[in-house]
Amino acid sequence: MLKLTNTLTGTQEAFTPSDGEHVRMYTCGPTVYDYAHIGNFRTYVFEDVLRRHLLSKGWKLTHVMNITDIDDKIIRRSVELGVDIHTYTAPFTKAFFEDSTTLKIQRPDIITPATDYIPEMVELVEKLLAAGYAYREGDSIYFRISRFPNYGRLSRLDKRELKIGARIDADEYEKEEPRDFVLWKAPKDDQEPRWDAPFGTGRPGWHLECSAMAMKNLGATLDIHCGAVDNIFPHHDNEIAQSEAVTGKPFVRFWVHGEFLLVEGEKMSKSKGNFYTLRDLIERGHDPLAIRLELMRVPYRKQLNFTMEGLRGSQSSLDRVKDFLFRLKSATLEAGSDPGIASGTASARNQFEAALDDDLNTAQGLGAMFELIREANIALSENRLREDNRREIFDFFQTIEQRLAIVPPLESVVQGDQEIDALVARRNEARRNRDFAMSDQIRKELVDRGILIEDTKEGTRWRRK
Ligand code: AMP
Ligand code: ZN
């Protein structure tokens, strides 16, 4: 049974789709004014793990994610460069999907660029105006929060106000102060992109986008809506207000929010300048799989402090997986099954499932995997592991790959390269003939080609670095 922490109630609740079969999920996507940083990708990786876990339950899933391709920053930068907003955002949208693929993030089923959904947004504003939830001020349209009962329910507004007043400076307090928010913005100057609407020419506000695109594709009530914790207020509280004011139905059953990626105790963000893009890290030679592992090492509900040391730690964890898979694959094993190892594998599998069911506890899920690696490595050294055990362990790693997508591809671990095999054989022959100068020379050649060799009881093994 899958339990998720629902921000709406502040508790863990058992999740099943409302109709028992089909999960309708919406995740807030990127604003494509620049490259996404790995803080953003921590959120997308957590949502990807959730997505994969939901699919593993056999439920049908419709996962919608928006692309915010119009906002103040996009307009400002495209005006500065003298290009239209689409020309400005297209490369960043492309980069976002390339980076997502590099991080093995599955593509949502429906991608909704905001500028493709203007008619739906216009319709929503018309309904809000007609029902008296929205009003005009100047040439813009605003949502009147005092008209909506329980405004701020998701962020528990009164408590939050008290907390925020006590700890952040007045400027930021004012900025976050609950207030009527804009639904439709009149253009400030000639250069701003605009659309015609019965209530005046303009462009949509950010909050409006997600309500319109979510309900258009998923219906009035979604099963799950995700984002990072900074989306809770005002963005998600505003989405609730706009949507429920129109439909009179609960907008979302489960609100699921990921915590921040921090750098030295502060939120990683563009505005603070303390960020890395995925491209930065790959350019420095980091392995995307290690980055993915690092981003999910800590369960999504806890903050994760990003350091290079942490990333190196994830790389060594990944190397441990690689070494183990290599060793397991290349071992010569007897037929049959060792019952102790068989039950260890089954229990690792159960622990892995239970951990993910427990509010996506990725740390514990990974823990179960590493414990099995430890036990199986001992069994290999003691010649206890059998063919059937190997098959079951590989099956389990296939499951881990489907769910967490952090398992190094076996092809990269073991290479049946004849030329290398021949060199290794020549080196072994040289050693048998006690021609150590020759064997060292061949070893060096192998190292230069990025091949590591290991002499074991069972013979010489090699793998690529
Ligand atoms: P943006 O492109 O700025 O709209 O952000 C995209 C997503 O990344 C949003 O859901 C943000 O809340 C989330 N996000 C931004 N910074 C961080 C961070 N440091 N850690 C985790 N998620 C973040
Ligand atoms: Zn959103």
Side-chain angles (χ1 to χ4, degrees), residues 26 28 66 206 210 225 235-236 239:
Y26 186 89
C28 287
N66 66 297
W206 173 42
C210 288
H225 192 315
H235 186 47
H236 290 163
E239 283 187 38

PDB file of all heavy atoms in Angstrom, residues 26 28 66 206 210 225 235-236 239, ligand 2:
ATOM      1  N   TYR A  26      -0.596  15.880 -12.138  1.00  0.00           N
ATOM      2  CA  TYR A  26      -0.068  17.109 -12.747  1.00  0.00           C
ATOM      3  C   TYR A  26       1.180  17.528 -11.981  1.00  0.00           C
ATOM      4  O   TYR A  26       1.181  17.538 -10.745  1.00  0.00           O
ATOM      5  CB  TYR A  26      -1.116  18.220 -12.663  1.00  0.00           C
ATOM      6  CG  TYR A  26      -0.722  19.490 -13.393  1.00  0.00           C
ATOM      7  CD1 TYR A  26      -1.041  19.670 -14.743  1.00  0.00           C
ATOM      8  CD2 TYR A  26      -0.033  20.502 -12.731  1.00  0.00           C
ATOM      9  CE1 TYR A  26      -0.680  20.825 -15.414  1.00  0.00           C
ATOM     10  CE2 TYR A  26       0.328  21.668 -13.409  1.00  0.00           C
ATOM     11  CZ  TYR A  26       0.002  21.820 -14.744  1.00  0.00           C
ATOM     12  OH  TYR A  26       0.368  22.970 -15.412  1.00  0.00           O
ATOM     13  N   CYS A  28       4.115  20.691 -11.826  1.00  0.00           N
ATOM     14  CA  CYS A  28       4.494  22.011 -12.355  1.00  0.00           C
ATOM     15  C   CYS A  28       5.832  21.900 -13.072  1.00  0.00           C
ATOM     16  O   CYS A  28       6.802  21.388 -12.514  1.00  0.00           O
ATOM     17  CB  CYS A  28       4.599  23.037 -11.222  1.00  0.00           C
ATOM     18  SG  CYS A  28       2.986  23.517 -10.581  1.00  0.00           S
ATOM     19  N   ASN A  66       3.409  21.185 -17.414  1.00  0.00           N
ATOM     20  CA  ASN A  66       3.385  22.400 -18.230  1.00  0.00           C
ATOM     21  C   ASN A  66       4.793  22.898 -18.529  1.00  0.00           C
ATOM     22  O   ASN A  66       5.757  22.550 -17.844  1.00  0.00           O
ATOM     23  CB  ASN A  66       2.637  23.516 -17.492  1.00  0.00           C
ATOM     24  CG  ASN A  66       3.394  23.936 -16.256  1.00  0.00           C
ATOM     25  OD1 ASN A  66       3.580  23.152 -15.343  1.00  0.00           O
ATOM     26  ND2 ASN A  66       3.861  25.173 -16.235  1.00  0.00           N
ATOM     27  N   TRP A 206       0.777  33.636 -14.165  1.00  0.00           N
ATOM     28  CA  TRP A 206       1.380  32.298 -14.045  1.00  0.00           C
ATOM     29  C   TRP A 206       0.426  31.299 -13.383  1.00  0.00           C
ATOM     30  O   TRP A 206       0.272  30.171 -13.842  1.00  0.00           O
ATOM     31  CB  TRP A 206       2.683  32.407 -13.240  1.00  0.00           C
ATOM     32  CG  TRP A 206       3.315  31.102 -12.889  1.00  0.00           C
ATOM     33  CD1 TRP A 206       3.454  29.998 -13.703  1.00  0.00           C
ATOM     34  CD2 TRP A 206       3.915  30.742 -11.643  1.00  0.00           C
ATOM     35  NE1 TRP A 206       4.103  28.983 -13.037  1.00  0.00           N
ATOM     36  CE2 TRP A 206       4.400  29.417 -11.774  1.00  0.00           C
ATOM     37  CE3 TRP A 206       4.103  31.413 -10.431  1.00  0.00           C
ATOM     38  CZ2 TRP A 206       5.051  28.749 -10.729  1.00  0.00           C
ATOM     39  CZ3 TRP A 206       4.767  30.737  -9.407  1.00  0.00           C
ATOM     40  CH2 TRP A 206       5.226  29.438  -9.551  1.00  0.00           C
ATOM     41  N   CYS A 210      -1.635  26.901 -14.810  1.00  0.00           N
ATOM     42  CA  CYS A 210      -1.656  25.508 -14.342  1.00  0.00           C
ATOM     43  C   CYS A 210      -3.090  25.027 -14.127  1.00  0.00           C
ATOM     44  O   CYS A 210      -3.415  23.891 -14.470  1.00  0.00           O
ATOM     45  CB  CYS A 210      -0.809  25.346 -13.083  1.00  0.00           C
ATOM     46  SG  CYS A 210       0.960  25.451 -13.450  1.00  0.00           S
ATOM     47  N   HIS A 225      -1.089  16.305  -7.420  1.00  0.00           N
ATOM     48  CA  HIS A 225      -0.456  17.495  -7.980  1.00  0.00           C
ATOM     49  C   HIS A 225       0.855  17.679  -7.235  1.00  0.00           C
ATOM     50  O   HIS A 225       0.879  17.699  -6.010  1.00  0.00           O
ATOM     51  CB  HIS A 225      -1.384  18.702  -7.776  1.00  0.00           C
ATOM     52  CG  HIS A 225      -0.988  19.926  -8.561  1.00  0.00           C
ATOM     53  ND1 HIS A 225       0.313  20.376  -8.641  1.00  0.00           N
ATOM     54  CD2 HIS A 225      -1.727  20.803  -9.288  1.00  0.00           C
ATOM     55  CE1 HIS A 225       0.339  21.477  -9.394  1.00  0.00           C
ATOM     56  NE2 HIS A 225      -0.867  21.758  -9.805  1.00  0.00           N
ATOM     57  N   HIS A 235       1.571  29.887  -5.273  1.00  0.00           N
ATOM     58  CA  HIS A 235       1.138  29.283  -6.537  1.00  0.00           C
ATOM     59  C   HIS A 235       0.017  28.259  -6.353  1.00  0.00           C
ATOM     60  O   HIS A 235      -1.030  28.351  -6.998  1.00  0.00           O
ATOM     61  CB  HIS A 235       2.351  28.664  -7.234  1.00  0.00           C
ATOM     62  CG  HIS A 235       2.089  28.125  -8.598  1.00  0.00           C
ATOM     63  ND1 HIS A 235       1.389  28.823  -9.552  1.00  0.00           N
ATOM     64  CD2 HIS A 235       2.417  26.938  -9.180  1.00  0.00           C
ATOM     65  CE1 HIS A 235       1.311  28.098 -10.657  1.00  0.00           C
ATOM     66  NE2 HIS A 235       1.916  26.947 -10.453  1.00  0.00           N
ATOM     67  N   HIS A 236       0.231  27.287  -5.485  1.00  0.00           N
ATOM     68  CA  HIS A 236      -0.765  26.212  -5.395  1.00  0.00           C
ATOM     69  C   HIS A 236      -2.017  26.641  -4.642  1.00  0.00           C
ATOM     70  O   HIS A 236      -3.118  26.191  -4.961  1.00  0.00           O
ATOM     71  CB  HIS A 236      -0.123  24.956  -4.801  1.00  0.00           C
ATOM     72  CG  HIS A 236       0.852  24.324  -5.758  1.00  0.00           C
ATOM     73  ND1 HIS A 236       1.798  23.406  -5.391  1.00  0.00           N
ATOM     74  CD2 HIS A 236       1.032  24.509  -7.103  1.00  0.00           C
ATOM     75  CE1 HIS A 236       2.508  23.035  -6.450  1.00  0.00           C
ATOM     76  NE2 HIS A 236       2.069  23.693  -7.502  1.00  0.00           N
ATOM     77  N   GLU A 239      -3.917  28.246  -7.339  1.00  0.00           N
ATOM     78  CA  GLU A 239      -4.524  27.266  -8.249  1.00  0.00           C
ATOM     79  C   GLU A 239      -5.812  26.698  -7.654  1.00  0.00           C
ATOM     80  O   GLU A 239      -6.821  26.544  -8.343  1.00  0.00           O
ATOM     81  CB  GLU A 239      -3.552  26.112  -8.524  1.00  0.00           C
ATOM     82  CG  GLU A 239      -2.450  26.440  -9.506  1.00  0.00           C
ATOM     83  CD  GLU A 239      -1.645  25.187  -9.852  1.00  0.00           C
ATOM     84  OE1 GLU A 239      -2.237  24.098  -9.986  1.00  0.00           O
ATOM     85  OE2 GLU A 239      -0.411  25.293  -9.986  1.00  0.00           O
TER      86      GLU A 239
HETATM   87 ZN    ZN B   2       2.136  25.261 -11.598  1.00  0.00          ZN
END
